[in-house]
Amino acid sequence: MTTPFLEVKNLNVSFPTEDGEVMASQDISFNVALGETLAIVGESGSGKSVSNLAVMGLHNRARTNISGEAWLNLASGPVDVISAPEETVRRLRGKSMAMIFQDPMSALHPYYSIGDQLSEAWRLYNEGSKSDGIKRAAQMLDLVGIPDAARRVQEYPHQFSGGMRQRVMIAMALINNPSLLIADEPTTALDVTVQSQILQLLRDMQKEFNMAVILITHDLGVVAEVADRVNVMYAGKIVEKAGIDSIYYNSLHPYTMGLLSSIPRVDQLGGHRLKTIPGQPPSLIGLPAGCSFRSRCEFASNVTGNLCATSAPLLEIKAPEHASRCHLSVEQLNEFNPSDVRGTHK
Amino acid sequence: ATGASAAAAKSGGTLYMVTHNGQFAHADPQRNYTGQDIAFFNTYVYRNLVVYKPAAGPSGSGLVADLATNTGVPSNNAKTWKFTLRPGVKWEDGSAITCADVKYGVSRTYATDVITDGPAYALSMLNIPNNKDGSSQYAGPYKKTGQALFDKAVTCSKDNRTITFNLGHSVADFNYAASYPAFGPVKASKDTGDKYDLKPMASGPYKIAKYTINGEMDLVRNPNWSKATDIVRPAYPDNVTVRFGLDSNVIDQIMLTDSIPNTVNLDGLQPVNNQKFFAEAQYSARRMNVNDPYVRYYGLNSSPGHLDCLLVRKAFFFAWDTQALIDLSGGSQFYGAIGDNPIKPVLGLDYAPTTGNTHDSNFKAAGNPTYAKSLLDQAKTVCPATYAKVTGDVGLSIDLPNNATQQKASVLMKAALSQAGFNVKFNFIPGGQYYPTVQDITKQGDASRAGWGADWANASTVIPPLYLKDGGFDLSGNWLDPVYAGFAAKVTAALAMTDRPKQAAEWKSLAQFAMDQYWISVPIFTKQQLDWGSKVGGVAFWDPQGTFLFPALYVK
Amino acid sequence: MVLRTPRQISWMRFKRNKAAVISGLVALFFILSAFLAPLITKLVGVNPTTTYTKALTQYGMPDGPWGGISLAHPLGVEPGAGRDLLALLLYGSRISFTVALITSVASIGLGMLIGITAGYFRGRVDAVIGRFSDFILAFPSTFMIVALSLPLVQRVEALHVAKDNGARIVVLIIFFVVFGWPGFARLVRSQALSMRERDFVMAAQALGASNWRIITKEILPNLWPTAIVFLSLSLPGFLSAEATFSFLGVGVQAPSATWGLVLSDAVTYWQTDPAYLIIPSAMLVIIVLALNLMGDGVRDALDPKADSR
Amino acid sequence: MSESVLKLEGLKKHFPTTTGGVFSRVKGVVKAVDGVDLEVARGETVGLVGESGCGKTTVGRTVLKLYEPTDGKIFFEGEDITKLSRHEMKPLRSQMQMIFQDPFASLNPRHTVGAIVSASFDIHGIKPEGGVKKSVQDLLERVGLNPEHINRFPHEFSGGQRQRIGIARALALKPKLIVADEPVSALDVSIQAQVVNLLDDLQQELGLAYLFVAHDLSVVQHISDRVVVMYLGKVMEMANTTELFANPRHPYTKALLSAVPIPDPEIERKRERIILQGDLPSPVNPPAGCVFNTRCWKVQDRCRVEVPQVLEISPKHTLACHFPEGN
Amino acid sequence: MLKYVTKRLAYTLIVLVLVSLTVFIIFNFLPIDPARLTCGKSCFPALIEANRHRLGLDVPWWEQWIRFMHGLVAGRNYAEGSAALHCGAPSFGYSFNQHSCVTTIIGQAFPVTFGLAIGSFFLWIVLGVTLGVVAARFKGRLADRLATAFVLIGTSLPTFISGILILLFVALKFNLLNPIEMGMWHSPFTDPFGYFKEFIFPCITLALAYAASYTRFTRSNVIETSSEDFIRTAKAKGLSNKVILRKHTLRAALSPIITIAGLDFAGLLGGAIITEGIFNLPGLGRLSLKAVLIDYDLPVILATTLLAAAFVVVANLLVDIAYAYIDPRVRVG
Ligand SMILES: Nc1ncnc2c1ncn2[C@@H]1O[C@H](COP(=O)(O)OP(=O)(O)OP(=O)(O)O)[C@@H](O)[C@H]1O
Ligand SMILES: Nc1ncnc2c1ncn2[C@@H]1O[C@H](COP(=O)(O)OP(=O)(O)OP(=O)(O)O)[C@@H](O)[C@H]1O
Ligand SMILES: [Mg+2]
Ligand SMILES: [Mg+2]
């Protein structure tokens, strides 16, 4: 594989609050190369957004504690966006790295026309008049498949449907040919049919611009559709990290296994009871020692001694290109894995 | 009075006058009825048959001929009065002032639906019969109903120079009434009805260049006025500008800092600032403390349902903490002295000290609650209903104009009167509506703050207005008092007397009677303070008008 | 996470906001003093109605510097009438606070009721209420109060509702409430409009709840925070409104005292007895500041999003 | 199957629309539901799917008479309740209940769990055996909550727990029919399954009938006996779950199914996806003819003029399409 | 749009007619007799009746109202015989106290109040918004507290105190204003400096009184808007904080202010009674106060009330239109 474009090393993000420090993401390390799609999955509050916002430098620095490194390997040389001055990071945003957000309804400024908002982004890094910007905006809208783009640039966000707004967001993120695109739950608010349109679009765009893409989602179905590699997060940590197939067919973490089997699938018959992961995810304040998944883990009892309660497992490479944060051995994990999830009810 | 000093008067310059009021009450001669306004307009803008002598001190109360060549010639037992006009006096537009103009001017008083607020002397004195409802059969020059009646009552000589007034009854001092601008000329062709109040045509040394209500009045020299025809007005300044509506605090600030040295303060300082101004030597050349023509008192409403019991009125009188109220308004040095009479000593002939009231051994300046209480106790048996009212829930209500000083005063009144056993209530009435309200017997409370000064040096302008039902300013509701009939008969008789000393004796005894009836509370012979800027010269007090001797003012 | 009720959480947040806590204590102190005025004046040994003319000079000015501050008169005496300033302010605050409090509570209460009604029933009810409040808002309120207060006081007295200052207070309160509710009603209406679209209202309807129950049990409790914040902010507003109307001579009148009366009187003494102006002004500033800061604190404490910002 | 709990005949619900804001005026009507026929049998679960805005929620709410139907008939247990007044509806409320999509918005944040669950007793003046408190605690226990949490406030619970509170409230009066309006779409992946299982269990125990509204086809497929597919206020296709998923006949159903992501990369890689063009048309101004014609890849002229009839193409499988997909 | 505005204007007219009717009814049923109140010093029943006739109060209130409405469209005559007067349409009546047609009086007072309103409006918006933004940027820190305290002190002192203090201790103390010229009308066109000197202090007084709510409003709106998703989007684009604040945050945060600002502005026009009094500005506030408390001048009372009402209603209309202009979501339709 080529050198990664983004290298995140030991990233920790926490928020001091009145109840204590919220350890939103801990010890996050990953990387993405150009042309590659990395998916980050995990349920709500597991720290997916927080870690990526840190990469974008979008946290309020005064209210956030961030440590670790995140290197962008730019043509002009690598930059650590965590330690770089605010102004430097600002100049990377939009150009070297771009981000789109979950809710297309509220992510666009309601008072400015679509064209204005797009051209503002373009003119930040390009010489050109406002009308040039609008022209460019229309091209981009056309590219993301909005019909009649020349007219629609003059319209306002509320005149667009959700799916179209998400396309606008994508167009805005791509308008300066960024090398890295972070898509934070880009389809969660959308209908399935629109969702597949958008995912298709993202794929096409990635090909066209040869971007590194980080796709944040909690939908394992979406991941299966687009990702090359997957990071699974739980309670602020990456618990499993592997290529797409290994995650689905050869998961080495009880949480991922539980997740996969608790999802009903259209390609399987109903009528059976769904498998569940009992309990709730833990609070991120004052996380107890030990494995944060242990109270919900059905295999915890198989670990010798009291290890799960006393020591936090490390993210170990348990198979080629496959790391997992679990005290269980690969053999045990393989044994517990309802080996072929895909085949159970076929 | 001090002030007008050695330095010679000087012509030229602009004289400023400042006031908190938004406008002159009236500029129209027939509607002008306020001492200061009359003095102002008579001095600067219009001329009159006769005017007060422009002199400081008692001699200022004498009349001098102005537009006329004499101060009036009575005949027919003072039922006919003749004035002959001075030749060569011109209007602002250059035309001569004629008898017809004077006659027309007087006739305007009768147009009661246009010419309001003015003195009613013409109405009550001229020989024109009234309708049943009390209105005159002559409706004024605009409608002309009954014009013939008027033409008979006021006549002009052939040469249009002598005017004759035929009165309905003897008026020994009609010429004093004639000193009011209400008896002054108005040129019929230039009469603008109600709007004449904004721009009366000048006959005096200045004409009105600009007059905006809440703004200013600008007077400039009237080229058609000739000094030769005028023995009254030196007309020193080139311009006179009156600034209306300034905040009282701002006016005081101007005076204290002398920031506009050519200014005359028409209002006087607020009591709180008087003390400083009159204590510090730096202001000594810019201040004057004088007796004004007014007596201030509270009219005690003696009509049934109010203070219809002599004992109760007396108790009120003795409970009153006069001293505290005087102190509140600046102390006896500035506010005035306790008096004993509705007639002020300046009236000389008509004034004599009364007996009883403030000369009673039980009278105390700071109030005598014990004695007042004993009087009230007597009232309990003599007039139980009144007693019950003033001590009970209904209480005794005092009408006061609504301003900061009176709000303060109410605290002192309540403190004093409650000690005597009264239950006191206050009825604060907005300044502009105060007199119309208390003059309405149906709206008046039990005691109403008031003040009165003689229109001229005869108690005929004091006793009748204050104590006759239709006198115009009767706040004592006394016409419902059983003793009224006899009293009123005597007043009417006194009014008709032409023998001045005999009349004076009558006024004295009537004043004593009124005081014995306790129709008013403790009278205060008030003082007034004048203040002006360092560049104003010739300042003196014009006794009969109760304000600056305007003719003498000049800019240094 | 430790589980707490919303009240506890708000209270915790509030407690941590030092400015708000201090402000709250200050406000409480003022209110308590007003409440305990008779006791305090007795302790100090002064009486609000006594005119201590002995403490005045022959010109009616306080004898001594700083408005005649002395052991007997801790805040000095009132020039002119000679009442004790401490007693005056204490007793004055009773009327001022009562007027402000009743007015705030009444206009907020009325605004809340009308606002909810409009927002909940929408349609024609809403339109009628909306037009009506537009109509009321169209009147220049200050001006109407000045023009109508005297005759209305007479009306109130004639109806034997109250007398004298009682009647004036009643009229003032009526005016403040009449012109005060529409503003709050608008706020409440918009909240009620969004509230009625919330699923829990639908849930109550699905259970067969009556409109009355929905309004009182489901919607109303959610508007308390708004009302409380509005209250803490409108109190000072009405305090200075009372002062202004006293200045214009249409409020409560002497010999009763209110802060407004004292202040409007004090203005004329700005040069001769500045302490008389400074002391009550400072008090007014302090309490208004306190109430505002406390209001901010309450709002922040009740705002669930406050922390994430 | 046994007799029906709920029966809809030609149900219509139109909303007058205003243009919004200050320029507000009535502009037209949203045909949110435009002629829906549907039946739910005792103990049966009928899934209602379709894209956002197609009228699923409106159907659910109209069924419970939370909206007044514009046209058509609603039968509950054979009784026509279409014209019943609010007051007359009250006794029936105990038999039909609703579970809401958003567990955060559907619980009044200022009421305790106890107050929320007992509200139904209060409203209907019912004094349950053993007292209100005991009944509430029983209900909480039944939905898997700690009965001691009766005095806690909703925000002290997680999303899944809150949804359970909502379910407990719906169960309080022992209803026969529950309209579940997207009860799991706001829940986390790992929690969703817990709630789905709970609903399953309750149906088994209490013989409830569900009208299960959802846009997530995988959940619907899992829980329903029959599925109704709606598009723009109209029913497109209706069949037994197995039949529908195995053999979708309507192009829209087919597109919908193909769009659902499957958590299985291998299948995903092989899958032929039907990507629909464009967006859902506005329900204010629906297309003439077949409402799906603007996005259908099989569209022909006839589709643009003629509204397809709802036909029973095989037993229990109805369809409204001129050119159905082949068998 | 045009249709909408016409409709709203018609509605405005109806409101104004209702307001005028209400005012007539209210004043008719007051236990006050203007004929008596304005009758003068020596007053007796015949004079009161004459006065009543002069004031036009000798007919029932509804007829008075009809005459008033008629006067508005067709002008009105007063007094009879050679003293007859005419006030041309639109006539609000004739003030017997000021001896002028009310329309003329109002016409003179209006520019004063309007100038005052515009000036203080501008000042308080600038002051309020600036402090609000500062407070929001430094939320919870010293600058925030100072800004809040400053504006709060400004509002908590009633204008009758702050105005006097500003006048005496600033304007007059430092000779910034010639007291004798206070209230003189300097035309802003021929004598802008004189005009400025005249108006700056009253404007500051009012601005202080009003700024606080804008500071608070701006502060909370800026804080709230800053956490909106679209601000995050703007950041993600790479815009600088300054541009984000200016173009994105403020635009969204400040547009709701228009609503209150419009109403406050209208309220001010209706009369800054106390400020005008202190600074001797012959504006609508002074005019109305004098009419009420001193002259009991019904036509002036009526006219100022109606004018004030008209401002509120028209301001409402303008606010709505402005809102539609700013917020595209409102614009459609
Ligand atoms: N500004 C903040 N202050 C305190 N806690 C925060 C803040 N921002 C996020 N958190 C907490 O950090 C944790 C991780 O949040 P994050 O937004 O990364 O979750 P996520 O995985 O993106 O979830 P979702 O799927 O809901 O978007 C959550 O518990 C959240 O409550
Ligand atoms: N109260 C209402 N007034 C006006 N229009 C409404 C109302 N409720 C719903 N609609 C409209 O009716 C249509 C159907 O809405 P409905 O909420 O039933 O859709 P849905 O299928 O439940 O969508 P979702 O999946 O987004 O919940 C939509 O266009 C919606 O805008
Ligand atoms: Mg997230
Ligand atoms: Mg829905």
Side-chain angles (χ1 to χ4, degrees), chain D residues 56-57 101 181-182:
Chain D
K56 308 181 294 290
T57 299
Q101 164 170 14
D181 188 2
E182 317 217 11

Side-chain angles (χ1 to χ4, degrees), chain D residues 108-138:
Chain D
N108 195 329
R110 312 228 153 229
H111 290 178
T112 59
V113 171
I116 291 169
V117 177
S118 66
S120 9
F121 299 137
D122 202 14
I123 289 166
H124 289 272
I126 295 172
K127 298 228 167 50
E129 263 174 74
V132 173
K133 185 170 174 196
K134 171 129 197 327
S135 321
V136 171
Q137 287 181 329
D138 286 350

Side-chain angles (χ1 to χ4, degrees), chain A residues 15 17 22-24 42-51 59 63 102 184-185 216 218 284, chain C residues 307-308:
Chain A
F15 304 96
T17 70
V22 178
M23 312 293 283
E43 54 203 303
S44 183
S46 54
K48 307 183 295 290
S49 303
V50 162
S51 40
H59 284 298
R63 280 173 225 280
Q102 166 176 6
D184 189 354
E185 317 218 14
I216 302 172
H218 58 251
L284 295 178
Chain C
D307 286 333
S308 50

Side-chain angles (χ1 to χ4, degrees), chain E residues 17-333:
Chain E
V17 167
L18 281 179
V19 169
S20 71
L21 197 61
T22 316
V23 173
F24 264 93
I25 294 174
I26 288 177
F27 281 93
N28 181 65
F29 287 101
L30 288 184
I32 276 187
D33 182 1
R36 213 201 142 82
L37 280 183
T38 58
C39 167
K41 260 198 247 177
S42 32
C43 205
F44 49 90
L47 276 188
I48 296 178
E49 285 321 305
N51 194 32
R52 196 183 305 284
H53 177 70
R54 172 176 83 124
L55 300 174
L57 298 176
D58 50 350
V59 294
W61 67 264
W62 47 268
E63 200 177 327
Q64 292 172 29
W65 182 72
I66 290 172
R67 284 189 194 175
F68 173 81
M69 295 310 280
H70 185 258
L72 262 182
V73 290
R76 214 172 151 178
N77 292 313
Y78 286 90
E80 290 136 69
S82 49
L85 297 161
H86 178 74
C87 289
S91 162
F92 280 100
Y94 183 82
S95 163
F96 286 96
N97 266 289
Q98 307 205 17
H99 319 290
S100 299
C101 296
V102 176
T103 312
T104 320
I105 299 174
I106 298 257
Q108 284 160 358
F110 178 71
V112 176
T113 307
F114 191 69
L116 177 64
I118 292 269
S120 45
F121 183 75
F122 182 74
L123 267 182
W124 90 54
I125 295 274
V126 169
L127 185 73
V129 169
T130 314
L131 288 178
V133 170
V134 168
R137 289 298 294 271
F138 299 99
K139 180 179 177 247
R141 286 195 261 158
L142 189 66
D144 179 14
R145 305 236 182 263
L146 283 182
T148 313
F150 174 72
V151 288
L152 279 181
I153 290 175
T155 20
S156 56
L157 277 184
T159 21
F160 67 83
I161 293 180
S162 54
I164 274 286
L165 294 183
I166 288 177
L167 174 59
L168 296 174
F169 290 107
V170 182
L172 294 186
K173 182 132 203 162
F174 298 106
N175 289 323
L176 301 173
L177 201 58
N178 181 353
I180 204 86
E181 283 190 358
M182 279 175 65
M184 302 297 299
W185 173 254
H186 302 272
S187 162
F189 306 107
T190 57
D191 182 7
F193 185 66
Y195 183 84
F196 175 79
K197 255 173 53 173
E198 179 70 26
F199 276 81
I200 184 71
F201 295 105
C203 288
I204 289 176
T205 305
L206 280 173
L208 276 186
Y210 280 83
S213 51
Y214 293 81
T215 302
R216 307 168 59 87
F217 203 88
T218 308
R219 178 182 181 273
S220 67
N221 273 16
V222 166
I223 290 173
E224 203 161 306
T225 311
S226 302
S227 63
E228 290 279 359
D229 284 355
F230 58 79
I231 297 301
R232 195 177 54 182
T233 307
K235 271 193 212 153
K237 275 187 206 175
L239 293 175
S240 71
N241 283 339
K242 228 188 282 165
V243 174
I244 292 175
L245 179 70
R246 210 187 50 217
K247 256 186 95 177
H248 294 250
T249 314
L250 279 185
R251 171 108 189 236
L254 295 189
S255 43
I257 284 187
I258 293 174
T259 313
I260 352 172
L263 288 178
D264 276 350
F265 183 68
L268 252 195
L269 271 179
I273 294 185
I274 289 173
T275 310
E276 287 181 9
I278 291 171
F279 291 92
N280 194 27
L281 295 175
L284 292 173
R286 283 275 304 286
L287 183 68
S288 55
L289 199 65
K290 185 169 181 289
V292 170
L293 286 185
I294 301 178
D295 305 334
Y296 209 78
D297 197 342
L298 261 184
V300 174
I301 296 178
L302 204 69
T304 40
T305 310
L306 275 181
L307 199 65
F311 279 125
V312 175
V313 189
V314 171
N316 254 328
L317 176 67
L318 291 181
V319 162
D320 285 351
I321 292 174
Y323 220 89
Y325 183 74
I326 290 172
D327 187 346
R329 286 170 297 188
V330 184
R331 206 178 300 162
V332 278

Side-chain angles (χ1 to χ4, degrees), chain B residues 101-407:
Chain B
D101 294 338
V102 180
K103 182 177 168 182
Y104 180 80
V106 176
S107 75
R108 292 173 85 240
T109 302
Y110 285 82
T112 49
D113 60 346
V114 178
I115 307 302
T116 58
D117 282 3
Y121 290 118
L123 286 163
S124 66
M125 291 173 173
L126 290 181
N127 185 18
I128 298 173
N130 279 353
N131 292 316
K132 268 205 209 83
D133 68 354
S135 58
S136 173
Q137 292 192 5
Y138 173 49
Y142 306 123
K143 291 185 187 159
K144 294 202 161 56
T145 339
Q147 185 69 36
L149 293 168
F150 182 75
D151 289 342
K152 238 170 65 193
V154 182
T155 58
C156 279
S157 63
K158 280 257 160 53
D159 64 356
N160 216 354
R161 295 259 324 271
T162 305
I163 188 160
T164 309
F165 296 97
N166 298 302
L167 309 186
H169 50 90
S170 304
V171 183
D173 43 13
F174 175 75
N175 50 351
Y176 278 89
S179 76
Y180 277 85
F183 287 88
V186 170
K187 189 167 173 177
S189 61
K190 293 286 159 82
D191 184 8
T192 48
D194 186 66
K195 294 204 182 247
Y196 200 67
D197 215 352
L198 283 180
K199 201 166 189 211
M201 185 148 69
S203 52
Y206 301 91
K207 58 182 182 182
I208 299 172
K210 181 180 166 200
Y211 179 24
T212 49
I213 287 172
N214 276 332
E216 63 175 344
M217 175 178 274
D218 237 343
L219 300 183
V220 297
R221 290 199 181 271
N222 171 11
N224 280 307
W225 170 78
S226 85
K227 178 126 193 150
T229 64
D230 199 329
I231 54 168
V232 183
R233 303 169 179 81
Y236 296 125
D238 286 339
N239 289 294
V240 177
T241 297
V242 187
R243 293 287 291 117
F244 297 106
L246 292 172
D247 190 280
S248 299
N249 288 310
V250 174
I251 296 179
D252 289 9
Q253 182 76 1
I254 295 176
M255 300 325 298
L256 284 163
T257 57
D258 198 23
S259 53
I260 318 285
N262 47 339
T263 306
V264 165
N265 180 2
L266 293 181
D267 296 352
L269 297 170
Q270 298 179 88
V272 290
N273 291 324
N274 250 334
Q275 189 201 342
K276 182 183 169 78
F277 200 80
F278 279 77
E280 292 177 17
Q282 53 163 320
Y283 302 115
S284 62
R286 305 201 279 118
R287 66 193 184 202
M288 188 186 284
N289 189 3
V290 294
N291 285 310
D292 67 13
Y294 300 103
V295 177
R296 291 190 206 275
Y297 58 91
Y298 285 73
L300 302 186
N301 185 351
S302 53
S303 63
H306 293 276
L307 306 182
D308 52 353
C309 174
L310 181 60
L311 277 168
V312 172
R313 294 202 293 274
K314 202 170 166 187
F316 181 94
F317 192 99
F318 284 93
W320 202 239
D321 185 351
T322 322
Q323 195 58 52
L325 289 171
I326 289 177
D327 288 349
L328 170 67
S329 303
S332 17
Q333 189 190 345
F334 301 120
Y335 187 58
I338 293 178
D340 62 353
N341 204 315
I343 302 170
K344 220 175 177 179
V346 288
L347 257 63
L349 205 56
D350 298 331
Y351 172 81
T354 56
T355 59
N357 59 73
T358 57
H359 304 294
D360 190 304
S361 60
N362 286 307
F363 180 82
K364 283 186 187 150
N368 187 346
T370 338
Y371 181 59
K373 204 173 187 108
S374 72
L375 291 170
L376 262 189
D377 284 343
Q378 290 174 45
K380 196 174 191 171
T381 43
V382 181
C383 24
T386 319
Y387 172 83
K389 171 190 145 72
V390 298
T391 57
D393 257 2
V394 181
L396 172 118
S397 67
I398 302 182
D399 299 323
L400 292 171
N402 191 5
N403 60 46
T405 314
Q406 295 312 321
Q407 295 246 355

Side-chain angles (χ1 to χ4, degrees), chain A residues 193 197 249 268 273 277, chain D residues 51 190 194 201 221 264 276:
Chain A
T193 59
Q197 293 170 9
Y249 306 126
Q268 293 169 3
R273 272 182 71 81
I277 307 176
Chain D
E51 267 173 295
S190 72
Q194 299 175 1
D201 296 347
Q221 183 251 14
D264 191 330
L276 288 178

Side-chain angles (χ1 to χ4, degrees), chain D residues 23-297:
Chain D
F23 300 101
S24 167
R25 68 226 295 287
V26 176
K27 258 288 160 78
V29 290
V30 181
K31 298 184 175 167
V33 175
D34 202 25
V36 166
D37 299 299
L38 187 144
E39 214 173 328
V40 182
R42 208 172 280 283
E44 186 192 28
T45 301
V46 174
L48 194 55
V49 295
E51 267 173 295
S52 176
C54 70
K56 308 181 294 290
T57 299
T58 309
V59 169
R61 292 184 175 178
T62 314
V63 161
L64 293 187
K65 293 289 298 288
L66 295 172
Y67 291 151
E68 280 305 310
T70 309
D71 197 10
K73 284 206 160 64
I74 308 168
F75 296 92
F76 182 75
E77 302 240 272
E79 183 192 354
D80 183 355
I81 63 165
T82 323
K83 291 267 144 37
L84 293 191
S85 72
R86 222 179 136 150
H87 188 71
E88 291 163 326
M89 270 304 288
K90 198 170 163 182
L92 287 173
R93 293 265 175 233
S94 55
Q95 305 191 31
M96 44 208 291
Q97 273 304 318
M98 184 142 182
I99 301 171
F100 293 86
Q101 164 170 14
D102 186 349
F104 295 83
S106 62
L107 304 178
N108 195 329
R110 312 228 153 229
H111 290 178
T112 59
V113 171
I116 291 169
V117 177
S118 66
S120 9
F121 299 137
D122 202 14
I123 289 166
H124 289 272
I126 295 172
K127 298 228 167 50
E129 263 174 74
V132 173
K133 185 170 174 196
K134 171 129 197 327
S135 321
V136 171
Q137 287 181 329
D138 286 350
L139 280 164
L140 291 183
E141 201 151 13
R142 152 145 275 155
V143 297
L145 289 172
N146 185 344
E148 268 153 36
H149 291 174
I150 187 161
N151 283 325
R152 292 197 173 178
F153 287 87
H155 77 272
E156 298 173 43
F157 295 90
S158 69
Q161 289 172 323
R162 283 190 227 198
Q163 199 53 293
R164 289 165 192 259
I165 299 172
I167 294 170
R169 166 172 63 190
L171 291 179
L173 295 172
K174 306 198 171 66
K176 299 203 170 85
L177 170 72
I178 287 184
V179 176
D181 188 2
E182 317 217 11
V184 293
S185 32
L187 300 180
D188 268 345
V189 202
S190 72
I191 308 298
Q192 188 171 304
Q194 299 175 1
V195 173
V196 169
N197 281 350
L198 172 67
L199 288 174
D200 251 347
D201 296 347
L202 290 170
Q203 183 168 45
Q204 305 286 314
E205 285 173 53
L206 306 171
L208 295 168
Y210 290 128
L211 180 60
F212 193 97
V213 178
H215 65 252
D216 185 343
L217 276 92
S218 32
V219 174
V220 168
Q221 183 251 14
H222 176 83
I223 202 166
S224 313
D225 302 311
R226 280 189 306 130
V227 177
V228 179
V229 180
M230 278 181 76
Y231 186 83
L232 219 56
K234 288 192 152 71
V235 174
M236 299 287 105
E237 189 168 7
M238 171 155 60
N240 279 332
T241 308
T242 354
E243 161 85 1
L244 189 93
F245 280 79
N247 190 11
R249 300 292 303 279
H250 198 287
Y252 176 63
T253 315
K254 208 159 176 184
L256 210 52
L257 286 174
S258 89
V260 178
I262 297 170
D264 191 330
E266 221 160 81
I267 297 178
E268 280 294 343
R269 277 194 283 270
K270 281 191 234 136
R271 224 161 140 208
E272 275 294 317
R273 218 170 261 289
I274 302 168
I275 302 219
L276 288 178
Q277 294 308 305
D279 292 311
L280 193 67
S282 152
V284 181
N285 197 5
C290 173
V291 284
F292 187 58
N293 74 48
T294 52
R295 298 171 77 192
C296 187
W297 64 94

